[in-house]
Amino acid sequence: MRVTAAAMVAAALLVSGAANAQSSGGGLSDLFGNIFSGPNSTSPAQPQPSPGGGGALPWSGEDGASGHPLMTASAIRQAAANFDNCVASMWPDAARRNISQENFQRFTAGLAPDLRIMDLMDSQPEFTKSIWDYLDILVNDNRLAKGREILGQYKAQFDATEKAYGVDRYTIAAIWGIESNYSTQMGDRSVLQSTATLACIGRRQAYFKDEFLSALEILNRGDLKLEQMRGSWAGAFGPTQFMPTAFKRYAVDADGDGRRDVVDDPADLIASTANNLKKDGWQTGQTWGYEVVVPKGFDYVLADRAKTMTMPQWEHLGLKRAGGLPFPHPAEKAYLLAPAGAEGPGFLMLQNFRVIMKYNPAEAYALAIGHFARPLAGRPALRAALAAQERELSRAERLELQQLLAERGFYHGTPRTASSVARRGRHCAVSRPRSARLRTDLPPLRCWNACAGGELSLREPNSTRKTTFAPHP
């Protein structure tokens, strides 16, 4: 059995979540979990275990997997019973944002909590495909054909946006395609109901209170209509999945009609997405990164976002651009990303890759955007095989790995999520002294095992046999 860090990368992508990202559901994230549960009712009602309609699943009635005290079943029920008072208590904050009392009452009348969101917020889905499998699913012929159609259909809008913001059109088109499959998978939950639910119930109330009030501001100003504000369970909406607070910061009225319509107006949508990237530091004329060939025996401790070097410095360490091509701008600084260790592809990532990560803070997400933008622009696909032979760790295996790391002193706390394994494992691999002879040419999971200083065994699924990886002698 071969197990690597692909499971951790995939998990990290999912758990990045709305609280840390521009995107909060749909698109790539939808492939890692059932984010959308179908349409939900916003008719006046008492707190319901299910939003109803569209075959939506009811709330499980169970404690959240995070173990947070506000995610216990009793805490959720208690907060749901106080939902009306919670919403009403936000009127003074809404007034300070110049929301009229008439609109506040109109838009909040009849709101009921969608408790199914509590399950989605704390979900820990079972991963059965590697990130490379998902990249293959995303970058397919049908999606590419639709992307090229979009680029042609809205050429004038893309031309104007590139001139105004200097952001590459193919990256914008890739985000549009990855986030919503070109407006076909935007989510169908009420943004107002979802953010109100999360503002009053659960473990991120302060964050989502801002999102809820920002959603009210959008409606009060008249940029969007209530029926347009439908999206993911976390409140992201539109073809490129803006959170309400991100809309406030980045949305623009590109066609001068007095509204910033990022849902149904292509000019506003394209320009607003570009403005987001530009304000986050997009460098005009620069690509997102380069695929590289990493030499055998390379010290993979250098594969760290904090370790940036110029192209000549990387070349001095033996890295070469894939295909033997030269690096066009030697002074550019980049960090090395090796998602599957020495057995997978390597990438030197530039500033624009970091900007894409601000849109959604996961290297896997940004890699998907870059991977998709290449063929949209008519450039060749990535040259290296994307480690398709790797399989994912099951949830039980991820928990077992955390327990094994904890036994060796590299994990503290209750084992719960794959992302915490990734954080602890990376810290372990990077911080271990060179005198310990950490073997860094291994795929990340085995690198972490060597870091832990002993054999690490993971039991094969449906078997009593264990696969054991030993540390470097």
Side-chain angles (χ1 to χ4, degrees):
M1 179 185 77
R2 299 180 58 212
V3 285
T4 74
M8 314 314 170
V9 176
L13 174 59
L14 178 67
V15 301
S16 59
N20 300 310
Q22 160 68 10
S23 173
S24 304
L28 183 59
S29 299
D30 194 39
L31 292 170
F32 294 93
N34 182 22
I35 297 178
F36 305 138
S37 299
N40 52 326
S41 171
T42 57
S43 58
Q46 295 300 312
Q48 298 293 317
S50 168
L57 295 173
W59 174 47
S60 68
E62 298 177 353
D63 293 348
S66 67
H68 193 284
L70 292 178
M71 296 300 292
T72 64
S74 60
I76 290 170
R77 290 190 181 94
Q78 183 177 1
N82 190 53
F83 179 79
D84 289 345
N85 291 332
C86 174
V87 172
S89 72
M90 288 188 271
W91 158 242
D93 293 305
R96 283 190 285 271
R97 297 183 184 217
N98 296 317
I99 297 169
S100 71
Q101 188 170 21
E102 177 186 359
N103 280 337
F104 181 84
Q105 292 175 343
R106 177 160 66 99
F107 292 127
T108 62
L111 276 181
D114 177 359
L115 297 187
R116 169 62 179 159
I117 290 175
M118 296 298 105
D119 290 331
L120 297 173
M121 188 180 195
D122 262 17
S123 65
Q124 293 199 17
E126 188 73 67
F127 295 103
T128 58
K129 291 182 175 65
S130 73
I131 183 60
W132 314 117
D133 292 326
Y134 285 109
L135 290 179
D136 287 340
I137 292 171
L138 288 167
V139 186
N140 57 56
D141 291 341
N142 290 337
R143 200 180 299 249
L144 282 169
K146 183 61 177 177
R148 292 178 181 124
E149 179 185 329
I150 288 290
L151 286 163
Q153 182 178 357
Y154 300 115
K155 182 180 183 300
Q157 289 87 344
F158 279 111
D159 286 344
T161 294
E162 278 193 339
K163 183 177 180 180
Y165 298 97
V167 176
D168 171 50
R169 70 183 64 200
Y170 304 107
T171 300
I172 299 170
I175 290 173
W176 190 346
I178 295 298
E179 289 288 357
S180 68
N181 198 11
Y182 297 108
S183 305
T184 63
Q185 297 173 349
M186 295 187 291
D188 198 32
R189 276 186 147 81
S190 162
V191 171
L192 210 59
Q193 183 185 28
S194 294
T195 54
T197 298
L198 290 161
C200 292
I201 307 169
R203 57 184 168 84
R204 297 303 306 274
Q205 293 179 31
Y207 171 83
F208 282 103
K209 179 180 179 181
D210 192 16
E211 297 296 344
F212 172 66
L213 291 170
S214 295
L216 285 174
E217 284 185 85
I218 295 168
L219 293 169
N220 184 74
R221 189 179 184 276
D223 285 308
L224 296 171
K225 298 176 182 177
L226 186 62
E227 58 268 25
Q228 289 180 292
M229 295 192 68
R230 304 195 71 83
S232 76
W233 63 263
F237 61 91
T240 57
Q241 295 287 278
F242 277 90
M243 291 295 289
T245 53
F247 177 97
K248 285 178 56 183
R249 289 193 298 269
Y250 304 119
V252 296
D253 176 17
D255 57 6
D257 66 355
R259 298 174 62 232
R260 298 174 295 171
D261 183 355
V262 300
V263 177
D264 296 318
D265 187 325
D268 290 358
L269 167 68
I270 294 167
S272 297
T273 306
N275 187 44
N276 187 337
L277 296 172
K278 182 67 175 179
K279 287 189 173 180
D280 279 342
W282 185 270
Q283 295 188 357
T284 302
Q286 185 187 83
T287 185
W288 54 272
Y290 304 105
E291 184 184 2
V292 294
V293 178
V294 184
K296 291 183 178 181
F298 183 79
D299 184 0
Y300 277 85
V301 170
L302 296 174
D304 189 318
R305 262 187 280 175
K307 301 182 187 299
T308 61
M309 288 186 271
T310 64
M311 300 304 153
Q313 288 173 317
W314 285 116
E315 287 180 304
H316 180 73
L317 294 172
L319 276 69
K320 299 183 183 298
R321 191 176 174 192
L325 298 172
F327 293 107
H329 307 291
E332 289 178 326
K333 286 192 173 184
Y335 75 90
L336 176 63
L337 173 64
E343 298 180 14
F347 304 91
L348 286 180
M349 297 310 196
L350 303 170
Q351 165 66 12
N352 286 345
F353 188 80
R354 295 178 186 267
V355 172
I356 298 171
M357 283 186 62
K358 291 181 182 179
Y359 204 90
N360 184 314
E363 287 171 336
Y365 173 86
L367 184 59
I369 298 299
H371 182 42
F372 188 35
R374 288 176 65 94
L376 282 179
R379 294 190 289 270
L382 299 176
R383 298 171 183 268
L386 294 180
Q389 74 278 14
E390 296 175 358
R391 79 158 182 84
E392 292 305 290
L393 297 182
S394 68
R395 182 182 179 190
E397 287 173 325
R398 294 196 301 271
L399 292 172
E400 183 183 358
L401 176 58
Q402 291 181 63
Q403 291 165 351
L404 291 166
L405 286 171
E407 290 172 4
R408 289 159 173 80
F410 294 105
Y411 180 87
H412 302 286
T414 303
R416 289 195 183 96
T417 66
S419 62
S420 56
V421 174
R423 288 193 299 270
R424 301 289 182 181
R426 164 168 270 185
H427 172 75
C428 163
V430 171
S431 63
R432 189 168 176 85
R434 288 184 179 275
S435 60
R437 300 181 66 194
L438 171 62
R439 187 174 178 181
T440 58
D441 62 320
L442 297 172
L445 178 58
R446 282 183 268 176
C447 177
W448 298 341
N449 169 44
C451 178
E455 291 190 352
L456 184 152
S457 301
L458 292 177
R459 193 177 301 278
E460 290 273 16
N462 304 317
S463 170
T464 58
R465 183 170 67 87
K466 284 189 175 182
T467 297
T468 301
F469 300 124
H472 189 52

